[in-house]
Amino acid sequence: MDPHTRSHLVQRVQKYFLEFLQTFKRPTEDGGREDDLYYVSQAKAMVRENKKTLYVKMGHLEQADRDVVSFEPEDLIAVIHSKYMVVRDAVNAALPQLLSNLEDPDLQAEVEKMDELKFTVAFYDLATYSGIRDLRTEKLGRLVTICGTVTRTTDIKPELLVATWKCNECRREISGVSQEFKVTTPPKCPTKNCGNTTNWSLLAESRSTRWGDWQRVRLQENEHEVPAGSMPQTMDVIVRDDCTEKCKAGDKIQITGSLIVVPDVPTLMSPGELKATVRRSLNTRSDPSYAAGEGIRGLKSVGNRDLTYKLAFFGTYIDEDSDWASRGSEEKSENIRSEEKMYLSQVDKERFEQISEHVNVSGKRDCLDLLARAVAPSISGYLEVKKGILLMLVGGVKKSTMEGIQLRGDVNVCLLGDPATGKSEMLRWVSKFLPRAVFTSGKSSTAAGLTASVVKDNDLDNERLIEPGALMLAEPQMQRCWCFDTRYDGGGVESEDTMPDDNGVCCIDEFELMDIKDMVAIHEAMEQQTITLSKAGIQATLNARCSILASVLPKNTYYQATLPLHKNCELSPPIMSRFDLFFVMQDIRDETQDLTVAKHIVASHRRKDDEVAPPVSHLDLQRYIRLARTFKPKISPEGSALLVKCYKKLREDRSYTRGGAGVTVRQLESLIRLSEAIARVYLSEWVRPEHVKEAFELQISSLRQSERESIDLGAEDLAPTKRGREDEEEPREAERKAVKRVRITHPEYMRMGQMLLRHLVDQAAAGQVVTEGDLITWYMEQVEPELVTEEQLFQRQHLVQLVVSRMIDKDRVILVTEPAKEGDPLQPEGRVLEKHPNVPVDSLDRI
Amino acid sequence: MREISRPLEVIDELLEPFSACLSVPGALPPREWREKAHFLRTLKLEDEDNFQDIPCLNETDTWLDVPSQSLVRYRCMVQDVLEPEVYPLFLQSTGALVTMKYREALPTGSHAKPLSTLETGNWATRGIYLCVPLPGESSWAIPRRGPNGASECGPGTSAPNTVGCSCLVKLYDVDEESLKVCETVEVLGVFHMGAGAPRLHGLHVRKLPFFHPMLPYSPRWLSEGRLLCTFQRRFSGFAVRSLRDLAIQILQEPLGGDQLAAEYVLALLVARVYGNDGSRALGRWSLNLSHWQEGSVDLLVRALAKLHPRVLHLPVTPETLKQRRWTPQKDFDANRLRSGLLQLAPGTLLVFDETQMDTGPLDAAGLRAVQGIRGLASEQMLLVDFFNYEVQVPLETPAKLMPSRPTSLAGKLFVHLPRRVHLQSG
């Protein structure tokens, strides 16, 4: 660009930008404009707070009122985007101009005290963002936003902007020597006959010597953006003045600024020397401005033959990354902290919309199913559990009451299951899927309870083996226990403003083995989402805003379907009621399911990718969830009516009761959370009845899954479909009833049923007529060897009678071809029985 | 041949047709001017057999003798991916165009200035990789060496378990971001030897997964057809069988004559990952051999080294676990990766020797080492320690564990041969 065009462009940008600042009014929802001149009042506030940075939202430039301004907003935006480093000075210069035009004497006095070179304009809320990997030379000088994790920061160092030198020969002061990359002294003393060119001292205190702050931050690519198998890339970011000390190592931040070029010394050294040099280079002063605009003013001063440079990023706006944060309804002051952001390219947006609009064969939207299938794809089946995990990842909307009490939006899920049902695999998948949740406090846990050692095993010929320390080694995912994403929350007064929602997922395997002290802490963590510690006289509150995904082994290792849920796991009712979803994963020997699982595993070993590959990829799922989390669905009137109805139904119907605690208000809250999460999955702004319905079904299924497996037999059983558990039963009463009421597991019922049916078929083939009495006698003959005591004999006889009546009356797989001859309903043994012709013997489980 | 002795001259000559750009303000030559194609064509590299005619850094005794700015090839493993470097593409030197591509410094004696148009168009980036010779190479697989076995390479550094020296490889254009940590590649490029580390500016990169010195070809070139026509003549069905018997025999010896154990070991050597299920690699397994007599592990390792080009014997004891760096670690101060014992080229046979295992506590480092071993042996994943999280790099290595019993080192896939190995005395 020739100098003329350039200065013309710069002048015009300054003029137009000033115009924008002076006239912009925020649009209101009804299409009008606010009365307030937004940036004028922002600038005033800035001066009052003694700050020097004005934050300008990129979206506001688009909203500029075309009737008021004399330029095309699109053009100005395009110029700022593509030539940021060229017009940056002009944009910054518009700010003191704006301030000097304000008619406010107090303000003027304030402004005069400030250094006008220091005023900067920081843009934020750009429409797109680049990964660190995408920053290449074609992005030089453009305005971009990047995201990453801070790995190192330097101390804040003074940076000499403009120096005043004293000639040590004639004591003359020379001011206004601008500094370029390195400390620059005047070429020659202007005093006549002095001739000094080398002997100078810096007048650091002089009025005309100007200093700035600068800091170098090393940013590393976010874990979830690193392509599989690659190393995360890093980028040096240089920030100045108001932007310094905005972040510390470990923070996830986003930075808006521009890519610049700086000479790179380290790569010229041998790799062995790299370490020392890089450390040095982090400490050397580097002024990004030398690379501004022209890109390479530093070249002539480098003057050597080695022409290698590296890219650095000049940051003008730093914000915490809101990727995983779901900010509640509390709106931050817009200038400092922007609202929700979701950076997505247009292509992605369209693709995700397509996913959310996906319909199944019958024309129903089923993106929940579709996405749930992408959860832990290496595990076959368990769609309900996967739905639960998906909803946990998406989460409900966090709210706070008028009094400022937080209502959590995180969904807690508990998996109760037999060994080898893939619980751990699920947990592991989640911890891999969400790196954020997993690793935050891993360090402290390695330092603490870690006592693995090599021991001699006396049982095995004194051979040596590595014994894992308590939690750490036994299973890979266990090291991630206690990975609450916590941050120390000092005073607790301003915490809400300064802290992002941590929002991780804490995966706890073998929850039931947890120390009782920790269990108590979990109570607090799960509902109030804080952990309170009292140590050495200091009361500290740690935020633990995370969902909990726990896996629990049943009390007797295997889930006993005959026992109610709360008797199967050793969790206290308060803890149980804090889980929104409770899934029972049983290792059932079921032919069809075994077949699917076996096919799935074999297929994955046979390279049949299409059979194994999930419909939505890992990365897409992550991004989809990120997108879904930006939605804040409100409950529609119809939805709220249905919620009330569902809750009443839950309370009324005792068969849904879970645990000793029964249905409490917590279940209503979890129902709301789940509905919200489902609405988010559908990318809906409203919680509609269909979402509530789906949530309700999921909650019911998670409660009832176990119940299907235990079958009550007995007198009451003749009444239609009364299959509920008697949870609050007095033990004695239960004992008394035990004679009449017997409960067997579903598989056991199946087995007996199969046996009886086969006998009926065999007899029918032989042309024999079988009465109920014959059948029972035959059965008792078959099982006789198993029985030892007389009591067992009676019990078994009673059982088989009940089973046969159930098969006749309820499941209707046995037909009564002839009623009992005496016609006495109390003596049914005489009934002649036959297998229902529509029931194949092998598929009894379809009933 | 000038392409080999003075490649930079050739590259500049190829640029000559574009020197008209000098007189047009703002005009720039294209970023690629078919220089790569020229080299591939002139050196007839479509036929990978012709690569052998180009001097190879791995085969020279001392790198100090390799003429600087000559064309060489270098076979290596990517040890670290460094930050990309920016350089000005074109310079003006007394009326001629000169490029900084493939160059470390300006040609001596020239007064080159960057082209006047120093807008962003003249900037370009090149990817920088720290490469090391393949770790754990068997002695027969290492090309000819000087008397002391190791080559001299000036101020460069060597990685653990490697013979030879490291080199900074700089790659351009499509190759710029093509390499990943732990890949085995052969780089053909312009060699620079200056005051710093040796550097290689790549013109052509060949990926050689599962590199075998007998078949130094890329899988794309070494098609089934070529394999057939090469080997069908040499190996009749009978020859293959007798070779297999020979291999079994070699392996059988240190295994105390146990043929079944030898078959297992042979099966381990030929196993490959053939697919992925989520994060799981399918097809690779680890083998446990137990009940060893003292010293016999060394014999087996020696036998394996006869058959396999890369074998690494790693004694596992509480001390080695604690003291040595097993998994690579990110050094945030230097902003580079420090290599670990487990950072290997794909297809390296790992022998974890637990026969010297002793009692003793493990510290955090030891634990990380155990996790790293398990990650590699059972999940074929190299865990790279990034301080607060781990980066997983898929790395396919057959692993053989020599434990006293199946320990926590092994994952799900192991074949335990209880009391199979009967060592003969003498």
Side-chain angles (χ1 to χ4, degrees):
Chain A
M1 209 185 319
D2 67 277
H4 179 70
T5 333
R6 185 194 179 88
S7 67
H8 188 61
L9 177 77
V10 167
Q11 275 169 19
R12 271 197 301 173
V13 166
Q14 182 167 351
K15 179 169 159 253
Y16 293 152
F17 189 67
L18 179 63
E19 199 182 320
F20 162 75
L21 292 181
Q22 282 171 336
T23 58
F24 181 71
K25 292 175 180 175
R26 281 198 293 180
T28 53
E29 274 182 23
D30 51 19
R33 296 265 167 185
E34 287 177 359
D35 296 333
D36 186 34
L37 286 167
Y38 183 72
Y39 284 108
V40 171
S41 51
Q42 287 287 332
K44 285 179 182 169
M46 175 190 83
V47 174
R48 254 179 258 122
E49 286 178 28
N50 207 13
K51 293 259 167 36
K52 299 180 193 71
T53 311
L54 182 73
Y55 298 93
V56 176
K57 185 171 171 165
M58 221 51 195
H60 285 168
L61 277 173
E62 283 169 37
Q63 292 166 356
D65 196 340
R66 276 155 216 276
D67 303 333
V68 177
V69 296
S70 61
F71 58 92
E72 283 294 319
E74 283 77 23
D75 296 348
L76 185 62
I77 292 170
V79 169
I80 290 175
H81 262 297
S82 58
K83 301 243 178 293
Y84 180 67
M85 288 315 274
V86 176
V87 300
R88 195 174 71 91
D89 288 340
V91 168
N92 287 346
L95 186 53
Q97 245 182 309
L98 172 74
L99 291 171
S100 62
N101 291 347
L102 296 179
E103 280 145 18
D104 187 337
D106 293 348
L107 214 58
Q108 292 298 342
E110 287 279 331
V111 171
E112 266 162 37
K113 274 189 251 164
M114 291 182 174
D115 185 345
E116 75 167 33
L117 281 183
K118 294 256 188 91
F119 285 113
T120 50
V121 171
F123 292 100
Y124 70 96
D125 201 20
L126 270 62
T128 53
Y129 90 117
S130 316
I132 288 177
R133 213 163 269 274
D134 308 329
L135 292 178
R136 287 288 173 264
T137 46
E138 71 268 10
K139 292 234 166 63
L140 276 173
R142 297 176 68 95
L143 186 65
V144 283
T145 296
I146 56 171
C147 293
T149 311
V150 179
T151 57
R152 281 285 184 276
T153 55
T154 59
D155 295 336
I156 298 184
K157 295 194 170 62
E159 174 187 20
L160 194 56
L161 299 174
V162 181
T164 306
W165 297 95
K166 191 176 74 178
C167 171
N168 286 343
E169 307 282 320
C170 65
R171 314 218 145 254
R172 173 171 176 157
E173 285 184 16
I174 300 125
S175 60
V177 184
S178 67
Q179 305 292 302
E180 277 184 36
F181 182 54
K182 54 180 182 155
V183 176
T184 314
T185 53
K188 197 183 170 192
C189 181
T191 313
K192 251 186 195 170
N193 304 327
C194 175
N196 173 30
T197 53
T198 50
N199 194 1
W200 307 95
S201 55
L202 178 69
L203 297 174
E205 308 290 315
S206 163
R207 175 81 175 81
S208 53
T209 298
R210 289 193 170 127
W211 296 89
D213 295 326
W214 75 277
Q215 186 183 25
R216 187 176 285 205
V217 175
R218 186 170 286 144
L219 203 62
Q220 182 179 283
E221 215 172 357
N222 282 330
E223 302 99 271
H224 61 267
E225 285 169 25
V226 182
S230 297
M231 292 290 115
Q233 290 196 348
T234 53
M235 175 65 68
D236 275 348
V237 176
I238 294 153
V239 290
R240 277 171 162 180
D241 295 323
D242 281 356
C243 279
T244 53
E245 282 293 279
K246 275 273 173 84
C247 55
K248 53 188 183 307
D251 286 355
K252 296 205 174 212
I253 57 168
Q254 45 172 314
I255 300 186
T256 306
S258 186
L259 193 64
I260 55 170
V261 172
V262 292
D264 184 26
V265 190
T267 47
L268 302 177
M269 313 283 172
S270 75
E273 295 165 50
L274 270 176
K275 189 182 165 189
T277 343
V278 175
R279 194 175 272 158
R280 225 185 305 135
S281 84
L282 264 176
N283 292 325
T284 42
R285 175 182 169 278
S286 154
D287 183 353
S289 68
Y290 88 94
E294 291 285 334
I296 181 177
R297 252 188 288 160
L299 192 64
K300 58 177 183 287
S301 57
V302 173
N304 64 21
R305 312 179 46 75
D306 292 317
L307 295 171
T308 44
Y309 302 86
K310 61 178 268 183
L311 295 169
F313 195 81
F314 177 48
T316 55
Y317 172 80
I318 296 186
D319 192 15
E320 281 145 349
D321 195 347
S322 55
D323 267 8
W324 288 105
S326 71
R327 295 217 173 96
S329 46
E330 72 271 8
E331 275 294 307
K332 307 278 163 34
S333 91
E334 201 185 8
N335 199 357
I336 307 297
R337 206 183 287 270
S338 62
E339 317 128 350
E340 289 283 322
K341 289 186 205 82
M342 176 63 199
Y343 301 109
L344 268 187
S345 72
Q346 196 54 41
V347 185
D348 285 346
K349 231 174 225 168
E350 275 163 20
R351 200 171 69 239
F352 289 150
E353 270 158 23
Q354 238 172 30
I355 293 177
S356 92
E357 297 292 335
H358 190 273
V359 289
N360 63 6
V361 275
S362 58
K364 192 173 163 275
R365 273 180 79 185
D366 67 340
C367 74
L368 185 64
D369 288 37
L370 186 77
L371 292 164
R373 261 183 225 116
V375 170
S378 57
I379 303 165
S380 143
Y382 293 121
L383 190 63
E384 303 289 306
V385 180
K386 289 178 177 184
K387 273 186 193 173
I389 289 177
L390 176 70
L391 295 184
M392 180 190 75
L393 292 170
V394 172
V397 179
K398 204 181 106 191
K399 307 176 196 76
S400 56
T401 61
M402 300 276 278
E403 297 84 26
I405 296 169
Q406 302 281 330
L407 296 177
R408 74 182 155 103
D410 298 299
V411 175
N412 296 324
V413 177
C414 183
L415 309 178
L416 173 70
D418 299 348
T421 43
K423 305 186 296 296
S424 300
E425 202 65 30
M426 293 263 187
L427 260 63
R428 197 147 129 198
W429 181 86
V430 171
S431 58
K432 271 188 182 167
F433 184 78
L434 257 190
R436 163 114 187 165
V438 171
F439 292 101
T440 34
S441 67
K443 196 165 50 112
S444 60
S445 50
T446 21
L450 220 171
T451 48
S453 50
V454 179
V455 294
K456 264 188 191 171
D457 191 338
N458 290 330
D459 295 340
L460 286 146
D461 317 337
N462 277 337
E463 285 178 343
R464 279 139 192 135
L465 61 141
I466 294 173
E467 180 143 73
L471 279 175
M472 299 305 299
L473 198 63
E475 286 292 327
Q477 71 275 12
M478 274 214 197
Q479 59 187 280
R480 288 146 195 174
C481 283
W482 294 111
C483 57
F484 294 103
D485 194 350
T486 51
R487 293 192 192 190
Y488 186 67
D489 184 355
V493 185
E494 47 169 17
S495 60
E496 283 312 307
D497 301 327
T498 52
M499 296 204 340
D501 292 38
D502 302 316
N503 235 315
V505 172
C506 174
C507 302
I508 307 179
D509 204 8
E510 317 226 328
F511 193 65
E512 76 280 4
L513 294 180
M514 222 156 81
D515 201 73
I516 193 76
K517 272 189 298 197
D518 302 333
M519 281 271 206
V520 174
I522 284 274
H523 275 211
E524 192 190 348
M526 285 174 72
E527 203 62 48
Q528 278 73 42
Q529 310 227 301
T530 53
I531 295 177
T532 314
L533 296 173
S534 303
K535 238 176 206 174
I538 298 168
Q539 178 105 1
T541 306
L542 298 169
N543 270 348
R545 275 177 247 169
C546 62
S547 309
I548 290 183
L549 173 64
S551 87
V552 179
L553 214 57
K555 202 173 188 173
N556 302 313
T557 314
Y558 285 91
Y559 188 87
Q560 301 206 319
T562 48
L563 291 176
L565 185 66
H566 69 284
K567 295 230 167 95
N568 257 306
C569 64
E570 288 173 296
L571 300 178
S572 63
I575 279 255
M576 282 184 69
S577 73
R578 280 170 167 85
F579 282 107
D580 298 86
L581 291 172
F582 226 101
F583 290 105
V584 176
M585 297 167 82
Q586 266 190 291
D587 192 9
I588 307 162
R589 278 176 202 86
D590 176 280
E591 222 175 294
T592 25
Q593 192 164 348
D594 289 350
L595 191 70
T596 343
V597 170
K599 269 187 181 163
H600 181 85
I601 291 174
V602 172
S604 71
H605 281 261
R606 276 178 55 213
R607 245 196 293 192
K608 283 209 167 176
D609 287 337
D610 46 328
E611 277 180 37
V612 184
V616 182
S617 78
H618 193 85
L619 189 72
D620 277 352
L621 184 63
Q622 280 181 336
R623 304 192 68 192
Y624 190 93
I625 290 173
R626 209 162 111 187
L627 177 69
R629 287 184 72 108
T630 61
F631 283 81
K632 300 231 174 307
K634 296 187 178 72
I635 298 171
S636 66
E638 304 85 37
S640 89
L642 189 61
L643 274 171
V644 173
K645 219 167 111 192
C646 288
Y647 177 60
K648 272 164 73 183
K649 207 165 157 194
L650 270 178
R651 291 279 280 190
E652 273 164 20
D653 196 333
R654 295 187 66 214
S655 66
Y656 299 138
T657 313
R658 69 182 205 173
V663 175
T664 65
V665 189
R666 282 211 177 100
Q667 269 65 58
L668 177 58
E669 281 186 22
S670 38
L671 196 59
I672 295 172
R673 273 192 291 274
L674 292 172
S675 312
E676 284 168 349
I678 289 175
R680 278 177 162 185
V681 169
Y682 283 104
L683 304 184
S684 162
E685 297 285 356
W686 291 96
V687 178
R688 298 186 199 289
E690 59 263 30
H691 304 145
V692 178
K693 213 172 130 218
E694 215 157 337
F696 183 67
E697 274 164 14
L698 193 63
Q699 203 176 29
I700 294 299
S701 85
S702 84
L703 294 179
R704 228 181 12 191
Q705 208 151 30
S706 58
E707 250 140 289
R708 198 183 62 214
E709 312 310 341
S710 78
I711 292 165
D712 281 336
L713 301 165
E716 292 97 321
D717 205 45
L718 298 172
T721 58
K722 174 73 182 170
R723 288 209 267 162
R725 269 195 312 248
E726 302 296 307
D727 289 307
E728 310 301 332
E729 245 174 28
E730 287 295 311
R732 191 166 296 164
E733 199 188 344
E735 227 169 76
R736 192 168 50 76
K737 278 190 174 178
V739 194
K740 270 165 76 186
R741 297 193 54 217
V742 180
R743 180 182 287 152
I744 64 168
T745 62
H746 189 254
E748 178 66 14
Y749 174 68
M750 287 296 154
R751 208 178 51 76
M752 282 177 76
Q754 283 286 348
M755 204 167 151
L756 296 171
L757 280 183
R758 196 157 283 135
H759 181 64
L760 284 180
V761 174
D762 292 347
Q763 294 298 310
Q768 299 280 333
V769 176
V770 185
T771 64
E772 189 170 343
D774 295 341
L775 186 63
I776 290 168
T777 315
W778 172 81
Y779 178 78
M780 290 312 288
E781 279 166 15
Q782 303 302 308
V783 296
E784 209 179 347
E786 296 171 23
L787 306 171
V788 184
T789 64
E790 205 173 329
E791 199 187 339
Q792 278 178 341
L793 185 85
F794 286 127
Q795 272 182 8
R796 185 59 73 97
Q797 183 143 18
H798 182 62
L799 182 74
V800 71
Q801 275 168 359
L802 290 172
V803 167
V804 171
S805 358
R806 185 182 157 107
M807 288 172 82
I808 294 170
D809 298 322
K810 180 142 187 305
D811 294 331
R812 297 182 203 285
V813 287
I814 297 178
L815 285 180
V816 179
T817 47
E818 244 176 84
K821 292 212 170 72
E822 287 82 24
D824 182 358
L826 294 173
Q827 293 292 322
E829 281 82 3
R831 293 191 285 192
V832 175
L833 305 177
E834 205 173 274
K835 182 184 77 72
H836 193 288
N838 290 347
V839 180
V841 181
D842 289 335
S843 63
L844 186 69
D845 54 344
R846 290 208 192 120
I847 54 176
Chain B
M1 203 168 183
R2 278 177 66 233
E3 269 78 10
I4 288 178
S5 57
R6 281 194 287 277
L8 285 173
E9 276 179 23
V10 178
I11 289 169
D12 279 341
E13 274 169 31
L14 290 168
L15 197 57
E16 234 173 59
F18 299 100
S19 53
C21 293
L22 289 174
S23 48
V24 186
L28 281 173
R31 295 187 160 225
E32 271 182 275
W33 51 97
R34 293 171 174 273
E35 72 281 8
K36 290 179 186 176
H38 173 86
F39 276 87
L40 288 183
R41 200 179 53 240
T42 330
L43 298 169
K44 299 196 183 66
L45 294 181
E46 305 86 59
D47 184 353
E48 294 200 6
D49 272 328
N50 291 333
F51 273 91
Q52 287 171 11
D53 303 336
I54 297 161
C56 180
L57 283 182
N58 304 69
E59 289 166 15
T60 38
D61 293 340
T62 159
W63 288 16
L64 298 169
D65 291 347
V66 179
S68 196
Q69 305 189 357
S70 66
L71 194 74
V72 294
R73 65 199 165 94
Y74 178 51
R75 198 176 51 247
C76 53
M77 177 189 85
V78 180
Q79 204 249 298
D80 192 9
V81 182
L82 305 179
E83 273 181 69
E85 193 176 74
V86 187
Y87 67 99
L89 250 176
F90 300 110
L91 307 169
Q92 183 175 5
S93 167
T94 52
L97 263 178
V98 179
T99 180
M100 280 302 287
K101 209 172 167 180
Y102 313 110
R103 276 201 165 89
E104 277 298 318
L106 291 177
T108 36
S110 78
H111 305 283
K113 283 193 315 227
L115 274 186
S116 53
T117 48
L118 276 174
E119 297 289 337
T120 55
N122 199 26
W123 290 107
T125 48
R126 48 190 174 207
I128 307 191
Y129 300 87
L130 179 59
C131 294
V132 296
L134 306 187
E137 286 193 306
S138 309
S139 55
W140 59 269
I142 301 172
R144 173 176 61 82
R145 287 268 169 237
N148 54 1
S151 64
E152 290 172 55
C153 46
T157 50
S158 283
N161 302 314
T162 59
V163 181
C165 21
S166 59
C167 183
L168 277 181
V169 170
K170 305 194 175 182
L171 298 179
Y172 297 86
D173 307 317
V174 284
D175 299 329
E176 187 183 326
E177 291 174 63
S178 61
L179 301 191
K180 288 178 179 161
V181 165
C182 287
E183 274 185 325
T184 310
V185 292
E186 186 172 75
V187 184
L188 176 77
V190 186
F191 180 66
H192 289 266
M193 190 74 173
R199 267 149 288 178
L200 190 62
H201 289 253
L203 273 159
H204 180 70
V205 180
R206 268 203 305 171
K207 291 197 182 183
L208 303 171
F210 304 102
F211 171 75
H212 195 285
M214 301 290 186
L215 298 165
Y217 308 110
S218 63
R220 188 184 50 82
W221 192 81
L222 192 68
S223 60
E224 233 160 85
R226 278 204 179 91
L227 258 179
L228 265 180
C229 84
T230 317
F231 289 98
Q232 211 163 28
R233 266 172 291 138
R234 278 163 63 187
F235 296 129
S236 63
F238 177 74
V240 169
R241 194 173 311 146
S242 70
L243 268 179
R244 189 179 188 286
D245 289 346
L246 184 65
I248 295 287
Q249 201 188 330
I250 291 173
L251 292 171
Q252 216 171 336
E253 221 163 298
L255 290 170
D258 188 326
Q259 197 194 336
L260 182 60
E263 297 266 2
Y264 270 118
V265 175
L266 189 66
L268 179 79
L269 288 178
V270 297
R272 282 267 189 285
V273 169
Y274 57 80
N276 278 302
D277 173 23
S279 54
R280 238 160 9 121
L282 305 172
R284 182 56 88 184
W285 50 293
S286 305
L287 181 66
N288 265 290
L289 293 175
S290 60
H291 298 88
W292 289 89
Q293 272 195 0
E294 222 164 292
S296 51
V297 175
D298 286 334
L299 292 177
L300 181 72
V301 172
R302 239 171 281 161
L304 287 168
K306 278 185 205 163
L307 295 172
H308 204 71
R310 289 179 301 283
V311 180
L312 206 58
H313 180 198
L314 296 169
V316 179
T317 66
E319 275 63 46
T320 55
L321 285 174
K322 277 189 286 188
Q323 286 159 9
R324 308 184 71 173
R325 189 168 59 233
W326 292 73
T327 53
Q329 237 173 346
K330 179 79 175 183
D331 179 345
F332 284 101
D333 286 321
N335 200 21
R336 54 187 296 249
L337 205 63
R338 291 151 163 263
S339 71
L341 291 173
L342 299 180
Q343 193 182 356
L344 299 165
T348 306
L349 181 68
L350 273 168
V351 179
F352 295 110
D353 180 359
E354 286 184 64
T355 52
Q356 306 300 313
M357 187 59 103
D358 203 353
T359 55
L362 285 183
D363 57 1
L367 241 124
R368 245 199 323 270
V370 173
Q371 280 163 358
I373 293 173
R374 189 171 46 189
L376 196 58
S378 66
E379 287 177 38
Q380 304 293 325
M381 281 286 179
L382 174 68
L383 306 179
V384 182
D385 186 2
F386 265 68
F387 187 65
N388 51 358
Y389 67 100
E390 281 164 344
V391 173
Q392 298 196 331
V393 179
L395 174 61
E396 193 187 335
T397 52
K400 187 186 306 261
L401 299 131
M402 304 297 175
S404 323
R405 47 163 261 145
T407 64
S408 32
L409 285 185
K412 303 156 201 159
L413 306 162
F414 59 82
V415 175
H416 183 39
L417 302 174
R419 303 186 193 279
R420 263 283 165 206
V421 181
H422 314 286
L423 284 177
Q424 294 156 339
S425 52

